[in-house]
Amino acid sequence: MPPASTSSAVTLQVNGEKYPLSVDHRTTLLDALRERLDLNGTKKGCDHGQCGACTVLVDGRRSLSCLQLAVAAEGREITTVEGLADGDRLHPVQQAFLDLDGYQCGYCTPGQICSAIAVIEEHAAGWPSAATEDVRPEAGPPPLTPEEIRERMSGNLCRCGAYVSIVEAVARAAAESATTAEETAA
């Protein structure tokens, strides 16, 4: 019997483009993005899923790319910080981080931004957090208070301590997103 192969051919769909790769079964999505696709916006922090620097969006939901195997991401839409802007126009969350200094050294910023985008969508969909006082579905989404934002963003660490500005940036982007949603519905 021939030895089992330790690699697989996969096609990763990243930022709207398909990338065929041959990867070792143990290759994380983070390493595939950084080392094989040269998408270095996603950062390698702790490599244990504890800091959030590697956060990307997988099928629109936040995912710690250091904990996900590349072979498991095949067939899923992966969005990194490089795929958020529309040409020269920044994503509203990116713009809010820039306007409100939601970064200092910038190392955690890509993961913070990807997480913030998911936080805003989760909140708009009515998902409760550990800080949500009334979790009954009929209560609707809780107000997106600073406490809610801090709880929802708690998986993303910032060693520089830019948390106050990060919370302000998420709140601003969420308010803009809600306004845009209301205008579209009208």
Side-chain angles (χ1 to χ4, degrees):
M1 179 183 308
S5 174
T6 60
S7 63
S8 291
V10 297
T11 300
L12 297 181
Q13 186 166 327
V14 183
N15 300 330
E17 294 189 39
K18 293 185 178 189
Y19 297 92
L21 298 171
S22 177
V23 295
D24 183 288
H25 295 152
R26 299 165 293 180
T27 302
T28 63
L29 178 57
L30 172 62
D31 288 339
L33 292 170
R34 290 184 58 80
E35 297 172 13
R36 302 295 302 281
L37 301 180
D38 293 323
L39 294 170
N40 295 317
T42 305
K43 303 302 185 210
K44 183 176 266 203
C46 66
D47 223 12
H48 294 288
Q50 297 175 347
C51 73
C54 68
T55 304
V56 297
L57 301 173
V58 177
D59 293 336
R61 297 193 56 191
R62 54 187 156 167
S63 177
L64 299 170
S65 62
C66 75
L67 297 181
Q68 183 168 358
L69 296 175
V71 294
E74 184 168 33
R76 303 184 70 194
E77 177 57 40
I78 302 156
T79 305
T80 67
V81 72
E82 292 94 342
L84 297 175
D86 184 10
D88 289 338
R89 191 170 143 248
L90 295 177
H91 184 282
V93 173
Q94 290 174 305
Q95 189 64 55
F97 268 70
L98 182 62
D99 292 345
L100 297 170
D101 295 326
Y103 57 89
Q104 284 186 21
C105 80
Y107 196 82
C108 72
T109 306
Q112 296 273 4
I113 288 171
C114 286
S115 191
I117 290 168
V119 160
I120 292 166
E121 291 177 9
E122 291 163 7
H123 176 262
W127 295 11
S129 78
T132 304
E133 290 185 27
D134 189 349
V135 297
R136 294 173 301 140
E138 60 271 15
L144 196 55
T145 63
E147 293 76 23
E148 275 286 336
I149 293 170
R150 281 193 290 274
E151 172 59 33
R152 291 169 186 266
M153 293 290 294
S154 65
N156 292 81
L157 304 179
C158 174
R159 294 182 72 179
C160 299
Y163 295 114
V164 171
S165 297
I166 290 168
V167 169
E168 290 174 2
V170 173
R172 176 190 283 182
E176 289 175 11
S177 177
T179 301
T180 302
E182 289 172 8
E183 290 171 355
T184 304

